[in-house]
Amino acid sequence: MSKQQTTPDTWRQPSTVAEIQEAEREIAALDSQLLEEAREIYGAMRKGGAPAMPITEHDRRVGKHLQKYMNGTTPANFLDEANVSRDAEIRAHRDALQIVLRDLARRKELASYAEAEKWVADNTKEWCALCREIILAAEKLAALEESARRFLVPIEGIHIKIAMGSTIASGLSLLGTGDPLKEMREAALKDNVVTEAEIRKAQKL
């Protein structure tokens, strides 16, 4: 006898990433059940058992659910026939599940992008505030490093022990060489994350 499989309710037009992932898990579980049943049928036939039984009424109902999910676009070769053996129906059913999974993958990609867009819209203000603090802190750090370099001018070129001699007093910047903030500063101004006045204020100690 064929085993009873549960048709996932989440196949009904899932729209969010979470719903789609749940549908994928349920489909994977159903596919595993079908594969196990197919193995049992094959094993029984190898031992000289009865040939595969015709599909059950339950399996026909599963097929109808699939057709409903696919909005009437189920390929003709997946539609039920009265004389189809159970093992043939399992193969068709699993192929149908693969079609559904491909459709879900497409839906998940679209849903992921839509959810990301919403996240950006909901969090842009907080994100820009965080970026602003990072940029202004970096500008202040650059100003502090420059102040440290000027402070050490009187002993420049003299090898003498001083606190933080191998780090801050070395003259090397934590930010990099040249103007490491140039690209970030320009992007921040373009995106209205900071103003030129705020940058000038951060650069003054």
Side-chain angles (χ1 to χ4, degrees), residues 173-193:
S173 172
L174 293 172
L175 298 170
T177 59
D179 186 0
L181 300 180
K182 182 176 184 296
E183 183 178 351
M184 184 169 65
R185 185 187 305 119
E186 291 175 350
L189 290 170
K190 180 180 178 182
D191 291 341
N192 296 316
V193 172

Side-chain angles (χ1 to χ4, degrees), residues 120-175:
V120 169
D122 292 343
N123 292 277
T124 291
K125 183 176 180 180
E126 185 177 352
W127 171 245
C128 287
L130 179 59
C131 290
R132 175 181 177 278
E133 293 303 316
I134 291 172
I135 293 162
L136 295 180
E139 292 286 1
K140 186 173 182 179
L141 174 59
L144 285 168
E145 289 182 333
E146 178 58 28
S147 178
R149 283 190 287 271
R150 290 197 302 268
F151 186 83
L152 295 175
V153 167
I155 59 172
E156 186 176 6
I158 302 174
H159 297 288
I160 188 169
K161 187 175 180 180
I162 187 173
M164 306 299 289
S166 62
T167 53
I168 296 176
S170 70
L172 297 176
S173 172
L174 293 172
L175 298 170

Side-chain angles (χ1 to χ4, degrees), residues 69-70 75 78 94-104:
Y69 173 80
M70 297 300 289
F78 294 135
R94 294 189 69 212
D95 285 346
L97 294 183
Q98 294 307 308
I99 292 174
V100 174
L101 285 173
R102 287 196 294 271
D103 181 65
L104 288 175

Side-chain angles (χ1 to χ4, degrees), residues 57-130:
E57 185 59 33
H58 169 77
D59 296 316
R60 291 192 180 90
R61 288 196 294 271
V62 171
K64 289 179 181 179
H65 283 298
L66 277 175
Q67 293 176 48
K68 182 177 180 180
Y69 173 80
M70 297 300 289
N71 294 323
T73 61
T74 306
N77 58 311
F78 294 135
L79 301 178
D80 294 336
E81 296 291 343
N83 62 348
V84 176
S85 65
R86 178 59 187 161
D87 59 332
E89 170 58 20
I90 288 175
R91 289 194 299 272
H93 199 160
R94 294 189 69 212
D95 285 346
L97 294 183
Q98 294 307 308
I99 292 174
V100 174
L101 285 173
R102 287 196 294 271
D103 181 65
L104 288 175
R106 179 187 62 81
R107 289 170 179 260
K108 185 162 65 173
E109 183 178 358
L110 294 173
S112 295
Y113 189 83
E115 290 179 15
E117 279 191 319
K118 184 179 185 303
W119 186 94
V120 169
D122 292 343
N123 292 277
T124 291
K125 183 176 180 180
E126 185 177 352
W127 171 245
C128 287
L130 179 59

